[in-house]
Amino acid sequence: MNSSDNAFARFFGVIARKQTYLNMLHVLLSFPLGLFYFVFLVTGLAVGIGTIIIWIGLLILAMVMAAWFLFILFERQLAAGLLQVKMNPLETPRTRMAGTTWRKVVAYLKNPVTWKGLLYLFLKFPLGVGFFSVGTSFLAITISFLAAPIGYRFFYPEVWFTMEKIWRVDTLGEAMILFVVGALLLFVTLHLINGMAWISARLAKALLDNPSDYSQEVLTEGEFSNQLKSQDDQE
């Protein structure tokens, strides 16, 4: 099989790939999730910082931080399940040996994913708006073109080239032309959605994943003994 055959198979084979529809689901979810994260985090951080002078702000900020860490865990699962992004473990040996709850909290605060993940959650909103808008627009145009042979008698679809030049489809022949264009546009749309999902996958890998050397961090023998001794003393 030559390169042209491979390109042909890749272009038209996109419609038969399961991953295409997993990518589409991720793109469609990006807007509502991004909007929710943005509103929750902006509101929570603003209220927490604004009321920190009366101490209740500290509790609010702690709750917001706990929530955004749960959001990070959820987004890691989405990226792994829908986009097939391979993630390194979030918990390290040092975190598991932290002992008390407070030390575990400190260990997680030192984890770069906690802070890179917050950036990811904020970026999810503008990216989600863009991806959702482009994806749904292309899907809507594609579906309307594909439905032209059936619906042209009822709603007379129009194709606007300019404000003055408008093509009004009112015959079966013209509707079939739209159908052919819609069929080709369907494959273009699916590739476009895969491209947006690829961007999301790369962003998730960069901001939600631990570097491999960080995730495989090993405690030295002395550190391990000190951790055990510390825990025995506390008990």
Side-chain angles (χ1 to χ4, degrees):
M1 183 178 290
N2 55 39
S3 58
S4 62
D5 292 333
N6 285 329
F8 183 88
R10 286 196 301 270
F11 182 79
F12 290 101
V14 67
I15 197 171
R17 299 186 195 117
K18 176 184 176 182
Q19 186 58 48
T20 298
Y21 303 98
L22 293 177
N23 291 343
M24 184 183 298
L25 178 59
H26 191 276
V27 168
L28 293 177
L29 287 174
S30 61
F31 171 64
L33 286 175
L35 177 61
F36 171 74
Y37 297 151
F38 185 82
V39 172
F40 178 88
L41 291 172
V42 169
T43 303
L45 291 174
V47 173
I49 294 173
T51 58
I52 199 169
I53 193 171
I54 57 174
W55 297 104
I56 193 174
L58 294 176
L59 177 60
I60 293 175
L61 289 176
M63 294 173 63
V64 171
M65 292 183 69
W68 98 48
F69 196 78
L70 291 177
F71 297 157
I72 290 173
L73 295 179
F74 177 69
E75 284 295 328
R76 281 170 56 91
Q77 291 299 317
L78 275 186
L82 296 182
L83 303 179
Q84 309 304 312
V85 178
K86 294 183 179 180
M87 295 284 187
N88 293 311
L90 195 59
E91 189 178 54
T92 68
R94 189 181 298 278
T95 304
R96 288 194 294 270
M97 292 299 300
T100 64
T101 300
W102 171 247
R103 289 182 179 177
K104 287 184 180 293
V105 170
V106 172
Y108 279 116
L109 289 177
K110 290 181 179 179
N111 191 322
V113 174
T114 301
W115 306 101
K116 292 191 302 179
L118 179 61
L119 175 61
Y120 178 89
L121 295 176
F122 277 114
L123 290 175
K124 184 90 172 180
F125 177 55
L127 287 178
V129 171
F131 289 167
F132 186 84
S133 300
V134 173
T136 53
S137 296
F138 270 80
L139 285 173
I141 294 172
T142 299
I143 293 172
S144 65
F145 281 16
L146 291 175
I150 298 174
Y152 80 97
R153 292 179 180 273
F154 306 102
F155 57 86
Y156 298 108
E158 295 178 343
V159 179
W160 290 54
F161 298 103
T162 65
M163 292 296 293
E164 294 79 20
K165 192 174 182 180
I166 302 172
W167 175 29
R168 189 182 188 193
V169 178
D170 53 10
T171 67
L172 180 59
E174 292 175 334
M176 290 305 299
I177 294 175
L178 272 191
F179 177 83
V180 173
V181 174
L184 292 175
L185 188 59
L186 173 62
F187 293 97
V188 173
T189 300
L190 294 179
H191 280 288
L192 179 62
I193 289 174
N194 282 343
M196 292 187 289
W198 182 87
I199 294 174
S200 295
R202 301 285 76 76
L203 187 65
K205 182 67 176 177
L207 298 181
L208 299 181
D209 193 22
N210 274 321
S212 57
D213 56 344
Y214 185 91
S215 298
Q216 296 170 3
E217 177 186 2
V218 178
L219 294 172
T220 65
E221 183 177 353
E223 289 176 321
F224 182 81
S225 299
N226 290 336
Q227 289 281 10
L228 291 180
K229 183 177 183 301
S230 175
Q231 292 181 24
D232 290 339
D233 293 341
Q234 292 172 4
E235 292 176 358

